[in-house]
Amino acid sequence: MLYREAGQFKTTYRADQAVFPIRQDFIGIIAILAVLFVVVPLTFNDFWLKSIMIPTLIFALAAIGLNLLTGYAGQLSLGTGGFMGVGAYACYKLATIFPDVNILIHIFLSGFFAAGVGFIFGLPSLRIKGFYLAVATLASQFFLEWAFGRIAWLYNYNDSGAIEVPTRTLFGVPITSATAAPVTQYLIVLAIVVLLTWVASNLVRGRFGRAWMAVRDMDIAAELIGIRLLPTKLMAFAISSYYAGVAGALMVFMWLGAAEVESFDINVSFQLLFMVIIGGLGSLLGCFLGAAFIWNLPIFLRAVPEMFGTHVNAATVEHIQFMIVGGLIVFFLIVEPNGLARMWAVAKEKLRRWPFPY
Amino acid sequence: MSAAEQLAPASRELLLNIENVSLSFGGVKAIRDVSFDVRKGEIRAIIGPNGAGKTSMLNVINGFYHPQEGTITYRGESRRDMRPHIAATQGIARTFQNVALFRGMTTLDNIMTGRTLKMKTGLFWHLFRWGPAETEELEHREQVERIIDFLEIQAIRKTPVGRLPYGLQKRVELGRALAMEPELLLLDEPMAGMNLEEKEDMSRFILDVSSQFGTTIALIEHDMGVVMDLSDRVVVLDYGQKIADGTPDEVKSNQDVIDAYLGVAH
């Protein structure tokens, strides 16, 4: 048994509609945030921050974006990688054109460019659904990849064709490029991700979230209730792309330090889709679980042979890793097609009743 | 039935008038030159054998199908065809023959979704669920709770509707339609597949909706006992044509109706 909510009565609708209506959940999330904000920065070394914590958070944010679109609004998309790229390139252009403006403002602004592009590529969604829409978003992925590679203005006519992040500071402390300490970057990423996750949870609980889910579950009935399909879908595309754009900007400015076309290719889109499916469609918690699972599993598998003191050559490790990751994905999808978030919910439900069967 | 007894149904104010509507899908004529009216506050039944065009008629009324001929006059406004969005904003709500709920959402969220058109606060407030957005949510929650009380579904408020038994799903769907505060409520076989007790409950809700909220109801139903007891006037369709129109007693004794239902030697 984890905990029971017996004895907690709600006397107002406000209390009943809170993000965490159960007191233990509320205490739990405070504890998790305290660990993330205080304990992790104090104890984790640079490797852990740079290669586990920061990317997991950034991918979780992009996964939230995709989940709002696919999990909540039911529009399958394979263009998330491209939209992340739009955010990254927009942020790079903003940072080089307006060097005096704070980089955090640029990061938040760059999301709007991604939202605009997402809006345009969302237009076909009025006419096409499901797999066909996925193919249409695939077109956006290829178009954007082409644009990042061919439009030299986007990367300031660098010979390398890559974007290099300039050093920017916040209160005199460098927060981008190699001079920044991973701890600072981690804290900034964490703060942004927590803020945007909270905003996403507000959205999905309100009338916009309900309209998305209505379109996802039964678009005919939604239309007859008075939900207009095109604006609802386009808003989902725009907001989803905003999240992807901010995630892309964070990825380049707070994590990689440099990026080129390949950083936003189709593999990123697929990886994010896997995160959302494994984590759980229509669940914000699932985005974090999925991102943590997909991103960290290979790192973990690489570390295993070293733990036992055996040295296997890198190529072999990589092949084994692909096989194990693939196998685990299939395993999880068979055991719980609704993803890790549902698995967690079911486990919680069972523990609540334990030791009784029902 | 107090409202119904005050005034004979046929003399009440006109709410919806269907005139000479014809609808065909390619060569198939689903509705041929059908005219009938729905008056304020009445319960109007549309009956007929399978394939008579009843559901198509409802789809025409709320703008899902566009008839090739005829006019639809709703609240004094005439048009060739309705649009779903206009129908919804002007107060036409409906339920479906095969339950069309949002399966992944809870009962509460389903009924809240029915209030979409009544909610106005912009995206900005909703991002932070603050100020007007929260006030509005709470106000509508209160309205929705009234509907939940009315339909006696308090216990399943937080259950995803996909997990509910069929009878309850039908009730939630009625709740979602009621949340729109409709002037005209279209019910497509509200009692299909229900047992006697569930039918009695549903009949009670339909009568209560009519008397408490003054909602005009047009319903399709196959259970003749229910139709004859509930409705003020009945229109009978067969092969897309209107064969009878009148009070339940008139319709019951109409020879064409008896022939349509029992079959007749040609």
Side-chain angles (χ1 to χ4, degrees):
Chain A
M1 186 187 69
L2 278 174
Y3 52 76
R4 294 198 170 114
E5 70 271 27
Q8 297 180 31
F9 300 109
K10 305 289 180 297
T11 50
T12 59
Y13 293 134
R14 181 193 296 263
D16 191 47
Q17 290 177 334
V19 193
F20 298 104
I22 298 169
R23 197 184 309 130
Q24 288 92 333
D25 282 349
F26 184 71
I27 297 169
I29 197 74
I30 297 283
I32 290 170
L33 285 179
V35 168
L36 288 176
F37 273 106
V38 181
V39 179
V40 168
L42 290 176
T43 52
F44 279 28
N45 62 27
D46 284 0
F47 168 79
W48 274 76
L49 289 174
K50 263 289 197 208
S51 58
I52 292 180
M53 296 309 288
I54 295 179
T56 303
L57 285 172
I58 290 173
F59 280 115
L61 185 64
I64 288 175
L66 181 59
N67 214 337
L68 289 179
L69 184 63
T70 306
Y72 284 93
Q75 310 298 308
L76 196 52
S77 164
L78 285 174
T80 325
F83 299 138
M84 284 177 82
V86 175
Y89 279 87
C91 195
Y92 174 70
K93 285 306 286 184
L94 285 170
T96 46
I97 296 170
F98 307 104
D100 299 330
V101 180
N102 192 303
I103 187 68
L104 291 184
I105 293 173
H106 286 322
I107 288 175
F108 280 110
L109 281 181
S110 56
F112 287 105
F113 291 87
V117 175
F119 181 90
I120 293 166
F121 283 107
L123 285 170
S125 70
L126 177 67
R127 291 279 165 198
I128 44 183
K129 290 180 195 169
F131 293 118
Y132 300 95
L133 181 64
V135 174
T137 55
L138 203 57
S140 79
Q141 173 73 39
F142 288 129
F143 170 77
L144 290 170
E145 270 183 49
W146 170 86
F148 299 149
R150 295 301 164 102
I151 302 177
W153 177 78
L154 283 175
Y155 48 86
N156 283 358
Y157 308 98
N158 277 344
D159 293 334
S160 62
I163 51 177
E164 293 276 345
V165 171
T167 305
R168 292 285 181 269
T169 58
L170 181 70
F171 307 125
V173 182
I175 57 170
T176 61
S177 83
T179 51
V183 179
T184 339
Q185 292 185 317
Y186 164 74
L187 284 173
I188 290 170
V189 171
L190 180 62
I192 292 175
V193 170
V194 169
L195 173 76
L196 287 179
T197 308
W198 175 70
V199 167
S201 92
N202 287 338
L203 271 179
V204 297
R205 286 183 304 142
R207 77 177 171 107
F208 295 101
R210 283 195 298 269
W212 290 340
M213 290 187 274
V215 170
R216 170 195 70 189
D217 285 348
M218 186 72 72
D219 52 358
I220 295 170
E223 208 180 352
L224 294 179
I225 273 175
I227 294 169
R228 286 202 277 192
L229 297 185
L230 187 63
T232 307
K233 287 177 181 175
L234 287 182
M235 182 182 253
F237 264 99
I239 293 178
S240 157
S241 308
Y242 181 88
Y243 275 77
V246 171
L250 287 176
M251 181 165 140
V252 177
F253 279 74
M254 295 290 157
W255 177 40
L256 296 175
E260 50 196 349
V261 189
E262 283 74 29
S263 316
F264 307 105
D265 64 5
I266 184 80
N267 290 327
V268 179
S269 294
F270 277 125
Q271 209 170 19
L272 283 164
L273 195 61
F274 295 153
M275 286 174 185
V276 169
I277 290 171
I278 294 276
L281 286 165
S283 158
L284 294 180
L285 172 69
C287 301
F288 287 91
L289 297 178
F293 182 81
I294 299 275
W295 179 255
N296 295 316
L297 191 62
I299 297 176
F300 173 74
L301 289 176
R302 232 173 288 149
V304 168
E306 283 168 33
M307 274 185 231
F308 293 102
T310 45
H311 287 284
V312 192
N313 76 51
T316 320
V317 170
E318 191 151 327
H319 288 299
I320 293 173
Q321 179 192 316
F322 274 126
M323 288 193 284
I324 295 180
V325 172
L328 278 173
I329 289 175
V330 173
F331 171 77
F332 272 111
L333 287 181
I334 290 172
V335 173
E336 181 53 76
N338 293 314
L340 296 171
R342 174 61 68 82
M343 222 181 233
W344 166 241
V346 169
K348 236 177 20 176
E349 191 68 10
K350 285 213 169 120
L351 285 168
R352 202 164 74 97
R353 288 171 182 157
W354 188 84
F356 306 106
Y358 54 82
Chain B
M1 291 281 276
S2 60
E5 278 150 14
Q6 284 159 12
L7 261 173
S11 61
R12 269 182 255 162
E13 202 185 327
L14 203 63
L15 180 68
L16 175 78
N17 196 17
I18 306 283
E19 284 171 293
N20 311 103
V21 163
S22 295
L23 173 76
S24 55
F25 301 103
V28 183
K29 292 214 157 101
I31 299 174
R32 300 179 217 195
D33 199 25
V34 171
S35 307
F36 68 96
D37 59 358
V38 179
R39 291 175 183 274
K40 261 191 193 145
E42 74 172 339
I43 299 180
R44 186 74 146 128
I46 303 172
I47 62 170
N50 285 327
K54 306 181 297 291
T55 300
S56 299
M57 197 67 234
L58 286 199
N59 283 339
V60 165
I61 294 174
N62 68 6
F64 210 65
Y65 289 161
H66 306 300
Q68 281 79 19
E69 280 168 53
T71 51
I72 302 163
T73 311
Y74 178 67
R75 295 208 299 209
E77 235 178 293
S78 294
R79 40 169 76 81
R80 156 66 62 77
D81 46 16
M82 266 291 182
R83 298 280 156 184
H85 191 254
I86 298 174
T89 45
Q90 299 213 343
I92 300 180
R94 85 171 273 186
T95 66
F96 291 82
Q97 190 171 356
N98 318 310
V99 180
L101 284 167
F102 309 127
R103 295 180 64 83
M105 298 161 76
T106 62
T107 300
L108 182 65
D109 278 343
N110 264 280
I111 303 179
M112 281 292 272
T113 312
R115 298 198 65 83
T116 302
L117 279 174
K118 312 250 173 230
M119 301 180 89
K120 300 284 176 235
T121 40
L123 180 63
F124 176 78
W125 298 107
H126 274 277
L127 293 178
F128 309 104
R129 202 185 175 83
W130 187 47
E134 189 172 32
T135 324
E136 191 182 58
E137 283 279 312
L138 295 177
E139 274 167 19
H140 287 279
R141 172 77 191 268
E142 217 170 305
Q143 301 285 330
V144 166
E145 287 291 339
R146 275 196 208 123
I147 292 167
I148 290 178
D149 282 347
F150 175 78
L151 294 173
E152 296 158 18
I153 46 176
Q154 295 93 335
I156 54 163
R157 199 184 271 132
K158 299 266 170 92
T159 316
V161 293
R163 279 196 228 156
L164 294 174
Y166 186 71
L168 282 177
Q169 291 195 5
K170 282 267 186 190
R171 218 186 276 188
V172 175
E173 203 186 10
L174 177 63
R176 189 182 65 187
L178 285 179
M180 293 170 72
E181 296 175 16
E183 201 169 346
L184 175 61
L185 180 59
L186 312 172
L187 303 174
D188 196 347
E189 300 202 22
M191 283 161 239
M194 286 187 170
N195 61 31
L196 183 64
E197 202 185 348
E198 287 171 328
K199 278 186 186 177
E200 284 170 352
D201 278 339
M202 189 52 93
S203 305
R204 182 162 56 87
F205 292 132
I206 292 174
L207 287 174
D208 283 352
V209 168
S210 170
S211 64
Q212 286 187 24
F213 305 132
T215 311
T216 310
I217 296 169
L219 65 91
I220 294 175
E221 185 50 56
H222 276 300
D223 186 323
M224 283 308 132
V226 169
V227 169
M228 297 303 164
D229 283 349
L230 284 186
S231 50
D232 296 314
R233 289 193 301 154
V234 182
V235 56
V236 190
L237 301 181
D238 190 23
Y239 292 110
Q241 278 167 322
K242 184 168 93 168
I243 56 170
D245 189 357
T247 62
D249 289 331
E250 286 166 15
V251 165
K252 242 187 278 184
S253 51
N254 184 310
Q255 191 57 44
D256 287 341
V257 177
I258 295 167
D259 290 349
Y261 270 91
L262 297 180
V264 63
H266 288 289

